[in-house]
C-alpha cells in the first residue's frame, strides 16, 4: 500500500463521519416549515449550532452582518432535532490530525449551517475567534456543485414557486403523482430522526470502543462497511420521496439524490486535500477545485448473452453486481477516495478527486490495480474492464461522454485465465469434454472433483458456472422463496416460454442534450438573457405562446 492510500485509510473515520454530515446537511427540508409554510431559510439552522455561537456573543446579535442570521436562528432553535439526537450530533466530532484540515474541531451538528457561502467572507472566522472553517467552506462549495451552478439560479423565484399545500416531486420525465404536502410530514420526520438516532448511536459506541482499545483495523473496516451500507439504505428509504427544491421546473430531484451528490463532491474534495497536503489552503483555493470521473466499463449484454439459459444469465448478472459492490466498498469505505454516481448494465462511474499530476499518477496506478484484482477474483478472470479517468471539470458534467467513450463494443478476458484440460477423469475413467456451454472460457468440469464434477459434466458447465448455479439456488432457498426459479411456473399451457429484452436509449439524457440550462429559469428570465443562451429564443417564444393560449382549444394553437 502506498503512503497516499495509507493516508486515506488512516483518516477513514474522519472522512466517513464528514460524509454523514454532508448527507444530513439539508435535512430540514423534510419538514412542514419548509414544505408547507415555505420558510426556506429555517432549515439551515436546525442544528442549533449557529444559535449557540451567536447567543454567546450578544454584541453581534444586533450587528448588521449577523442580525438576520440571529433572528432566523432564534426562530428555528430547538424546533427540529429531539434532544437525544441533538446531543449525539454535538458529541460526534471531526478532528483531522494533519494540516491543513486540522484548523479546528467540527461538531456534526454544524453541517446544517456551514453550507451557506456568504458565511465565508470573514464573518464566520471572526465569530470563531480567528479560526478558519475549511471543512465548512468545502461543504458550501460541494453544495453549490450539487445544485448545478452551470444552470444558473432563477432570478424570479416567486414565478416558479409551487403553491402552498400543492407540493409535488416530479420524475425526470415531468410526471407528478403525489402531493407531498398531504402526507403526515411530522410523523414521517419523527420516524426518520428516530432511525437516524439509532444509527448515530452505533457510531458513538464504535468510537467509544476504539478509545478503549477494543478494536483493530479489521474490525474497524468491518464496522464501516456494514454501517455505510445501512446508513445509505436507511436515508434512501426515508427521504428519497421528499423534494430537494420546490421550484418549478427543478422539482425533479429528490432529497436523497441531492444529499448524495453533495456528499460525493464533499468526500472526494476532502480526499484531494489529504492526498495533496498543501502547506497552506485558503477559501479561494477551494473555490477552484475540480473533479474527475472514474469509469469502470464493459459490455454487459455481450457478457450475459454467452450464457446457456436464463439461470446462467441471472447467475452472471448476480456475479457482476457483486463485483461492482466490492469495488464500491473498496473506493468508498476501505480507501475512501470516491463515490459511485452512476451504474448500469455496462458498469459504474465514480466521482473522483483531481489532485496534482504526480500524486494522481501514483494513486491512479494503484487504484486501477486494486479494481482489476477485484474483477479477477470475483469473476475468475473471465472479464477485463476498461478503466479510465475523464478530464477534470468543476462539476463533473461529462457523464454522458464518459459512458459513450469508455464502454467497449467487445469484452476481453485476462490472458492468464486457466481454462483447464479437455481430458478429465470421472469414476476412474478419462473422458474428453468441450468448453463450458455457459461461459465458453473453461472446459466442462474444470475446478471440481467427485460428485460435483459428475453433475457439472451432466450439465455441460465448468466449476465456476456450476458454483454460480448452486449459489443462486442456495440464496433462493434461504431468503428468496417469494420468487420463482422454476421455468414451469412461468411457462404457458404448452410449456413454452419467451425471453423478452428491452432497452431505453438514455444517451441524450446523460449527455445533457435533453436536460439543459433553460430548465432552471422561468420564461421571462430567459427572454431577458438576449443572446447568452443562443438558439433558445424561438423555442422559448413557442412555449410562451402555448402557455398564454392554454384556455383555447387545441385546434386553435398553431
Amino acid at each position: 500500500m502506498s503512503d497516499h492510500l495509507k493516508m486515506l485509510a488512516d483518516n477513514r473515520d474522519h472522512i466517513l463521519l464528514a460524509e454523514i454530515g454532508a448527507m444530513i446537511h439539508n435535512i430540514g427540508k423534510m419538514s412542514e416549515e419548509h414544505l408547507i409554510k415555505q420558510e426556506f431559510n429555517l432549515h439551515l439552522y436546525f442544528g442549533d449550532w449557529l444559535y449557540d455561537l451567536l447567543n454567546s456573543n450578544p454584541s453581534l446579535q444586533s450587528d448588521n452582518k449577523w442580525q438576520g442570521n440571529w433572528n432566523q436562528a432564534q426562530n428555528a432553535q430547538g424546533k427540529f432535532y429531539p434532544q437525544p439526537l441533538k446531543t449525539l450530533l454535538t458529541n460526534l466530532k471531526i478532528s483531522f490530525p494533519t494540516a491543513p484540515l486540522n484548523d479546528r474541531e467540527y461538531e456534526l451538528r454544524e453541517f446544517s449551517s456551514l453550507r451557506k457561502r456568504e458565511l465565508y467572507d470573514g464573518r464566520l472566522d471572526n465569530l470563531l475567534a480567528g479560526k478558519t472553517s475549511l471543512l465548512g467552506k468545502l461543504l458550501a462549495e460541494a453544495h453549490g456543485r450539487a445544485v448545478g451552478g452551470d444552470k444558473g439560479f432563477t432570478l424570479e423565484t416567486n414565478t416558479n414557486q409551487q403553491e402552498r399545500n400543492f407540493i409535488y416531486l416530479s420524475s425526470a420525465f415531468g410526471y407528478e403523482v403525489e402531493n407531498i404536502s398531504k402526507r403526515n410530514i411530522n410523523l414521517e420526520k419523527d420516524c426518520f430522526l428516530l432511525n437516524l438516532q439509532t444509527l448515530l448511536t452505533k457510531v458513538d459506541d464504535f468510537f467509544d470502543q476504539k478509545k478503549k482499545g477494543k478494536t483493530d483495523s479489521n474490525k474497524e473496516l468491518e464496522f464501516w462497511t456494514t454501517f455505510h451500507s445501512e446508513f445509505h439504505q436507511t436515508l434512501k428509504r426515508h427521504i428519497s420521496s421528499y423534494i430537494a427544491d420546490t421550484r418549478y421546473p427543478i422539482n425533479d430531484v429528490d432529497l436523497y439524490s441531492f444529499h448524495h451528490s453533495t456528499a460525493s463532491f464533499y468526500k472526494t474534495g476532502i480526499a484531494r486535500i489529504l492526498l495533496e497536503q498543501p502547506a497552506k489552503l485558503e477559501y479561494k483555493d477551494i473555490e477552484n477545485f475540480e473533479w474527475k470521473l472514474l469509469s469502470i466499463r464493459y459490455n454487459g449484454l455481450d457478457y450475459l448473452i454467452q450464457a446457456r439459459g436464463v439461470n446462467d444469465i441471472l447467475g452472471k448478472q448476480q456475479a457482476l453486481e457483486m463485483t461492482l459492490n466490492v469495488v464500491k466498498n473498496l473506493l468508498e469505505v476501505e480507501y475512501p477516495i470516491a463515490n459511485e454516481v452512476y451504474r448500469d448494465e455496462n458498469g459504474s462511474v465514480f466521482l473522483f478527486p483531481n489532485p496534482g499530476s504526480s500524486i494522481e499518477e501514483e494513486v491512479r496506478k494503484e487504484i486501477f490495480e486494486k479494481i482489476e484484482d477485484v474483477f479477477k477474483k470475483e469473476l475468475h478472470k473471465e472479464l477485463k474492464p476498461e478503466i479510465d479517468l475523464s478530464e477534470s471539470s468543476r462539476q463533473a458534467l461529462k457523464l454522458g461522454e464518459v459512458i459513450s467513450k469508455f464502454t467497449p463494443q467487445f469484452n476481453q478476458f485476462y490472458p492468464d485465465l486457466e481454462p483447464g484440460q479437455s481430458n478429465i477423469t470421472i469414476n476412474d475413467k478419462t473422458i474428453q469434454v468441450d468448453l463450458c456451454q455457459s461461459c465458453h472460457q473453461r472446459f466442462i468440469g474444470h475446478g471440481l472433483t467427485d460428485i460435483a464434477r459428475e453433475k457439472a459434466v451432466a450439465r455441460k458447465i465448468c466449476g465456476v458456472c456450476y458454483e454460480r448455479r448452486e449459489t443462486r439456488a442456495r440464496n433462493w432457498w434461504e431468503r428468496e422463496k417469494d420468487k420463482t426459479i422454476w421455468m414451469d411456473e412461468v411457462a404457458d399451457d404448452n410449456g413454452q416460454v419467451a425471453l423478452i429484452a428491452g432497452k431505453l436509449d438514455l444517451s441524450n439524457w446523460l449527455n445533457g442534450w435533453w436536460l439543459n440550462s433553460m430548465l432552471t429559469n422561468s420564461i421571462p428570465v430567459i427572454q431577458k438573457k438576449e443572446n447568452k443562451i443562443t438558439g433558445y429564443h424561438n423555442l422559448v417564444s413557442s412555449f410562451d405562446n402555448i402557455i398564454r393560449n392554454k384556455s383555447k382549444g387545441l385546434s386553435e394553437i398553431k
Side-chain angles (χ1 to χ4, degrees), residues 381-396:
K381 301 181 181 180
E382 62 189 28
L383 180 63
K384 179 178 170 58
E386 296 282 344
I387 310 173
D388 216 318
L389 275 177
S390 72
E391 295 295 321
S392 62
S393 66
R394 283 175 58 79
Q395 290 166 291

Side-chain angles (χ1 to χ4, degrees), residues 367-381:
I367 286 294
F368 282 22
E369 288 176 353
K370 288 185 177 296
I371 293 172
E372 294 213 10
D373 287 343
V374 171
F375 271 78
K376 288 178 181 179
K377 179 181 179 181
E378 299 295 327
L379 296 178
H380 305 275
K381 301 181 181 180

Side-chain angles (χ1 to χ4, degrees), residues 422-467:
S422 60
N423 296 319
I424 62 174
T425 302
I426 295 181
N427 297 326
D428 298 326
K429 293 183 179 180
T430 300
I431 63 173
Q432 189 169 5
V433 294
D434 296 322
L435 286 175
C436 170
Q437 292 190 1
S438 179
C439 67
H440 307 284
Q441 292 177 311
R442 287 170 289 264
F443 284 104
I444 293 171
H446 174 60
L448 299 174
T449 57
D450 303 329
I451 297 177
R453 176 176 281 187
E454 282 190 61
K455 290 181 179 180
V457 170
R459 299 170 187 175
K460 299 181 180 180
I461 56 177
C462 67
V464 171
C465 296
Y466 175 84
E467 183 56 36

Side-chain angles (χ1 to χ4, degrees), residues 268-285:
T268 51
I270 292 174
R272 169 180 173 161
I273 296 171
L274 290 172
L275 291 172
E276 289 184 339
Q277 290 188 289
K280 185 177 182 181
L281 184 67
E282 298 182 356
Y283 292 160
K284 63 181 180 180
D285 299 321

Side-chain angles (χ1 to χ4, degrees), residues 80-242:
F80 193 75
Y81 291 121
Q83 186 57 46
L85 180 54
K86 178 181 174 181
T87 301
L88 274 171
L89 292 169
T90 304
N91 292 340
L92 289 171
K93 295 179 173 63
I94 301 168
S95 180
F96 282 93
T98 57
L101 292 180
N102 62 347
D103 54 347
R104 66 181 181 87
E105 189 176 63
Y106 296 78
E107 297 176 7
L108 206 56
R109 66 175 182 145
E110 294 183 41
F111 282 70
S112 56
S113 299
L114 288 178
R115 74 88 162 167
K116 291 291 284 180
R117 284 180 170 178
E118 56 265 31
L119 291 176
Y120 302 95
D121 59 0
R123 288 187 296 159
L124 189 58
D125 294 3
N126 291 334
L127 184 61
L128 294 168
K131 293 182 179 179
T132 57
S133 297
L134 293 175
L135 283 182
K137 175 61 176 177
L138 181 58
L139 179 62
E141 291 303 315
H143 178 98
R145 300 293 193 276
V147 166
D150 67 302
K151 295 181 179 180
F153 292 98
T154 304
L155 299 178
E156 298 183 8
T157 305
N158 294 331
T159 304
N160 293 345
Q161 192 56 250
Q162 296 187 57
E163 296 182 14
R164 297 186 183 189
N165 300 315
F166 293 94
I167 305 298
Y168 287 86
L169 172 65
S170 169
S171 74
F173 301 98
Y175 293 105
E176 296 177 339
V177 178
E178 182 188 16
N179 185 350
I180 299 175
S181 55
K182 297 299 182 183
R183 288 156 55 176
N184 192 333
I185 298 171
N186 280 338
L187 180 61
E188 292 181 14
K189 177 199 71 175
D190 291 343
C191 180
F192 164 67
L193 293 180
L194 183 61
N195 283 325
L196 179 62
Q197 179 180 320
T198 301
L199 287 169
L200 294 184
T201 299
K202 293 181 180 180
V203 179
D204 195 42
D205 291 342
F206 164 74
F207 283 125
D208 185 56
Q209 292 295 309
K210 191 171 181 177
K211 288 178 181 177
K212 294 177 180 178
K214 296 183 178 181
T215 64
D216 56 39
S217 59
N218 291 330
K219 290 181 179 179
E220 290 169 13
L221 178 58
E222 182 181 353
F223 167 80
W224 280 117
T225 297
T226 303
F227 176 84
H228 191 262
S229 175
E230 184 183 5
F231 176 77
H232 280 275
Q233 288 176 9
T234 300
L235 261 66
K236 194 169 188 177
R237 184 172 67 250
H238 280 284
I239 70 176
S240 60
S241 62
Y242 278 83

Side-chain angles (χ1 to χ4, degrees), residues 260-356:
H260 185 263
S261 296
T262 301
S264 297
F265 282 107
Y266 191 53
K267 178 181 183 177
T268 51
I270 292 174
R272 169 180 173 161
I273 296 171
L274 290 172
L275 291 172
E276 289 184 339
Q277 290 188 289
K280 185 177 182 181
L281 184 67
E282 298 182 356
Y283 292 160
K284 63 181 180 180
D285 299 321
I286 295 176
E287 293 173 1
N288 295 321
F289 272 16
E290 293 187 346
W291 282 260
K292 292 191 174 187
L293 291 171
L294 169 66
S295 62
I296 305 167
R297 310 297 291 167
Y298 45 79
N299 190 316
L301 186 59
D302 181 59
Y303 176 72
L304 294 177
I305 62 176
Q306 297 176 29
R308 183 181 183 186
V310 174
N311 189 30
D312 291 332
I313 289 175
L314 294 176
K316 281 193 164 189
Q317 183 184 48
Q318 189 177 69
L320 280 176
E321 282 296 306
M322 179 62 70
T323 302
L324 292 180
N325 287 341
V326 175
V327 172
K328 177 180 168 73
N329 188 70
L330 173 76
L331 301 181
E332 294 188 359
V333 179
E334 187 171 357
Y335 305 103
I337 191 175
N339 262 15
E340 186 182 51
V341 294
Y342 179 80
R343 181 187 292 196
D344 61 17
E345 75 277 10
N346 297 318
S348 291
V349 180
F350 290 79
L351 191 67
F352 202 80
N354 180 38

